[in-house]
Amino acid sequence: MKVSVVICTYAMERYDVFSECVDSVLAQTYDPLETVIVVDGNEDVFERVENDYGEHEGVTLHCNDENKGISYSRTKGAELADGEVVAFIDDDAVAEPDWIDELARVYEETDANAVGGHVAADWVTEKPDFFPAEFYWLVGCDERGMGEHMEELRNTYGSNISYRRDVFLNVGGYDQNTGRKGDRHIQAHEAPVCIRIANKYGTGVIYNTDAVVHHKLFEYRGEFRWLVFRSFWQGYSKRIMDLLLPEASGDKNDYLKQLMIGFVPARLKSLLAGPSLPKVKQLVAIFVFTAAVGFGYLYGLSKSNSSLIGEES
C-alpha cells in the first residue's frame, strides 16, 4: 500500500523548520512512500524547494499561482498524490521514523477510512507555567483527555492525520471556508472533512498514539495574550462550523462538560492538597481561555449567517 505525505509551506522565514519536517518524512522507514510538497504561492520558496528536493526520488513538487490557503493547498496535494493513503503533517513538525509505519498498519489491519496519531508538544523555549494541558488544542497538540489508543474519534489534528485518498477526495477534501490563509485566523480545519466522511461512510478517525509527530511551539505560542486571542478565534470558528455542519454543534457541550465536571474539580482538589503558584495560574487560564472561546462564538452569532460565511469564502 503506497502512502503519500503532503507537506504545505509558504514562508521563507520558516524554511529551516520546514526542511526539518521534510527530512523527517524522507527518513521514514515505510516503503513505498511519496512526498508531495505544495508551496502556497511563494515563488522564492518554491525555487529553493526545487533546488533542495527536486532531485529526490519519490518527491512531487507544486506551487500555487497565488496564496490560496492551507485548505486549498492540502486538497491540491491530495489530488496530485498517487498513494492509496494520503497523510498530512504541518511544516513546523517533525515525524518519528516509524510514523507512517504506524498509520499504515491500522489501514492494513482494519477497515479504517481515516487514521490519526499523537501530536506531541515540542517547546522551542521553556513551556509557560500557566499553560494547562487541557488547552493544548489551542496550539495544535493533543490535549488532556484527547482519547485512548485506537479509540475512534471525530478527528485528530492537522499535523498528524491521514485518509484513504479516494474517500478524502470523494467528500471534497478540506473546506476552504476553514483553515489558515495569510493572516486569517479561522480554525476548525480537520473537523468538517472528518464529519463528512463519518456521515457518508459511517466511520470516524482511529487514534493511534504510537504514530507520533513533534509539533514545534515557538515563543509566541506561549504568550498569554496570543493564547487568549487564539481562543477567541477558536470560538468564532466554531460558530462558522455550526453553520457549515450543524450536526457538529454538540461537540462544544461535550468538551465543556468534561472540562468543568471532570478536569476543573480535579485541579481544585490538587490545589487544595498541594498549593502552588503554577496550579493557580493554570486554573485561572482555564477560565480565561474558556471565556474567550465563548466571546468569540458570541461575536460570530452577532453577524448574519450570509455575511459570516461570505466573508470567509
Side-chain angles (χ1 to χ4, degrees):
M1 180 179 67
K2 186 173 184 179
V3 177
S4 299
V5 179
V6 174
I7 310 167
C8 303
T9 195
Y10 68 99
M12 187 65 79
E13 58 265 25
R14 60 194 289 169
Y15 191 88
D16 290 343
V17 177
F18 157 76
S19 294
E20 283 188 67
C21 174
V22 176
D23 292 345
S24 75
V25 171
L26 294 177
Q28 290 295 299
T29 56
Y30 186 84
D31 185 64
L33 184 71
E34 176 190 30
T35 303
V36 180
I37 301 174
V38 178
V39 178
D40 195 10
N42 188 324
E43 291 290 345
D44 291 336
V45 171
F46 186 67
E47 181 178 350
R48 188 169 177 184
V49 169
E50 282 187 308
N51 289 335
D52 291 347
Y53 299 107
E55 300 301 318
H56 281 257
E57 184 179 354
V59 174
T60 299
L61 306 180
H62 173 78
C63 186
N64 297 334
D65 55 8
E66 61 181 359
N67 182 253
K68 295 187 176 181
I70 187 68
S71 293
Y72 175 91
S73 297
R74 286 192 162 193
T75 304
K76 183 65 178 180
E79 291 170 349
L80 293 169
D82 59 12
E84 182 182 340
V85 167
V86 59
F88 297 96
I89 184 172
D90 286 348
D91 65 351
D92 55 359
V94 173
E96 291 283 346
D98 63 348
W99 171 51
I100 295 299
D101 269 308
E102 286 294 336
L103 293 180
R105 179 174 60 81
V106 181
Y107 288 106
E108 290 165 351
E109 296 176 357
T110 73
D111 59 354
N113 285 313
V115 182
H118 177 58
V119 183
D122 180 13
W123 289 96
V124 176
T125 57
E126 186 177 355
K127 174 187 174 295
D129 63 358
F130 66 81
F131 198 2
E134 292 86 346
F135 276 82
Y136 264 50
W137 55 272
L138 284 177
V139 291
C141 297
D142 293 5
E143 73 273 9
R144 180 185 181 190
M146 171 87 171
E148 300 297 329
H149 177 59
M150 298 306 288
E151 182 180 354
E152 186 174 310
L153 306 180
R154 187 189 70 179
N155 63 274
T156 56
Y157 298 129
S159 202
N160 193 348
I161 196 164
S162 65
Y163 311 90
R164 293 195 187 273
R165 179 174 172 270
D166 59 344
V167 168
F168 176 77
L169 294 177
N170 282 345
V171 299
Y174 284 110
D175 193 319
Q176 292 185 51
N177 287 295
T178 65
R180 185 184 67 248
K181 182 179 181 182
D183 294 328
R184 193 182 69 169
H185 301 281
I186 305 306
Q187 309 301 321
H189 183 47
E190 280 68 45
V193 67
C194 291
I195 290 170
R196 292 198 302 272
I197 289 174
N199 288 344
K200 186 168 184 175
Y201 295 94
T203 58
V205 181
I206 303 300
Y207 181 43
N208 181 1
T209 58
D210 292 334
V212 180
V213 303
H214 301 270
H215 191 191
K216 292 185 183 298
L217 300 179
F218 298 98
E219 186 174 4
Y220 75 92
R221 289 180 177 261
E223 295 174 356
F224 188 79
R225 182 177 179 179
W226 184 88
L227 289 163
V228 173
F229 177 79
R230 177 84 163 184
S231 300
F232 176 89
W233 284 105
Q234 285 282 358
Y236 183 78
S237 302
K238 287 180 184 298
R239 173 56 184 156
I240 291 176
M241 199 168 77
D242 281 358
L243 295 175
L244 296 172
L245 292 161
E247 62 269 36
S249 59
D251 182 65
K252 302 185 299 296
N253 299 329
D254 292 341
Y255 171 74
L256 282 173
K257 182 178 179 180
Q258 182 185 39
L259 185 65
M260 295 304 173
I261 296 179
F263 296 144
V264 168
R267 281 186 170 275
L268 286 169
K269 184 177 180 180
S270 174
L271 179 61
L272 292 173
S276 72
L277 185 56
K279 288 181 180 179
V280 173
K281 288 180 179 178
Q282 289 177 31
L283 195 57
V284 171
I286 286 175
F287 288 108
V288 172
F289 295 160
T290 301
V293 171
F295 282 125
Y297 190 81
L298 289 174
Y299 177 65
L301 281 174
S302 72
K303 292 176 168 285
S304 68
N305 293 356
S306 58
S307 66
L308 189 66
I309 297 296
E311 70 182 25
E312 310 308 338
S313 300

